[in-house]
Amino acid sequence: MANAGGDAITLSGSGRFFMGDGLFSANGNIVTAGGSRLVFGKTANHLINGNLSIAGSVLFGAGRYTVSGGLTNGTGGTTWPYTSPITNQSWGQTLEGVSVSGYDMAGVNVSFILGGTINLAGGAKTKLIAPTSTVEGAAIADILVDSLTSQATNWGAGSQNVFSGVVHLPNSAVTMSGGNNSLSAGQCFTLIAYRVTASGGANAGTACKSISDLVGGSGGDVELVA
């Protein structure tokens, strides 16, 4: 899809766009309004030359997402699953065998390589799980989000996130606020950032094994709460 410098895909609040598996690229922004539903199919590398701005619900099929801009989830109302009133086909109960019910933005076995950053607000309910293995030219093992941007990253406004994998933002200051929860649901979540600030009831946690446990000591899981 091509629309250089503009929007490649736009969905209104009543929009529904469900893609099958296969090659995908968009030469422009992807922008959705509250109440819309968007499904990406599986492919090795989804190429998006623009920003990915979600205000409705979205399912990310497995693979890498290479985005020249940023990823924003500003939703918080329309959650999965969804059943078509026309075909009775359903989407969003599970992805790759993992339950994503109750989330508005979800992806399993996904890696996001961004030119910008990942911002979460609006009561967004996000569940993103990184791949466990690397595929050449596609998903990267354990990498959930990678960006070298110095733009500020904000997770706030009551957003509820379940992340598994590494969010690598070494040059970005990350602010968690407004009751944001960024947890791991029993899996390993690592946040690497220039600075992390938590306020306003925000908290973050991970279930990564402690160093002493890995080297044969008596340590247990690591829990981080701010």
Side-chain angles (χ1 to χ4, degrees), residues 4-123:
D7 295 338
I9 298 174
T10 58
L11 291 180
S12 66
S14 59
R16 305 286 185 267
F17 188 14
F18 302 151
M19 290 175 266
D21 299 342
L23 297 176
F24 174 83
S25 65
N27 191 17
N29 304 312
I30 297 177
V31 181
T32 72
S36 64
R37 294 187 182 275
L38 174 63
V39 176
F40 290 94
K42 299 179 186 179
T43 198
N45 193 0
H46 308 73
L47 297 170
I48 301 171
N49 185 23
N51 294 302
L52 184 50
S53 301
I54 304 299
S57 55
V58 59
L59 294 177
F60 294 108
R64 183 196 300 182
Y65 290 77
T66 303
V67 183
S68 66
L71 169 61
T72 301
N73 186 3
T75 186
T78 308
T79 57
W80 299 100
Y82 169 78
T83 300
S84 168
I86 300 173
T87 65
N88 289 322
Q89 184 175 352
S90 294
W91 292 265
Q93 188 68 46
T94 63
L95 276 179
E96 304 291 310
V98 176
S99 174
V100 294
S101 178
Y103 294 91
D104 48 48
M105 186 166 84
V108 178
N109 294 333
V110 291
S111 298
F112 293 88
I113 309 301
L114 307 177
T117 190
I118 176 171
N119 289 310
L120 306 163

Side-chain angles (χ1 to χ4, degrees), residues 134-159:
T134 296
V135 177
E136 184 176 357
I140 306 171
D142 300 323
I143 296 296
L144 185 59
V145 178
D146 176 78
S147 177
L148 298 180
T149 185
S150 59
Q151 297 174 20
T153 299
N154 294 289
W155 300 347
S159 54

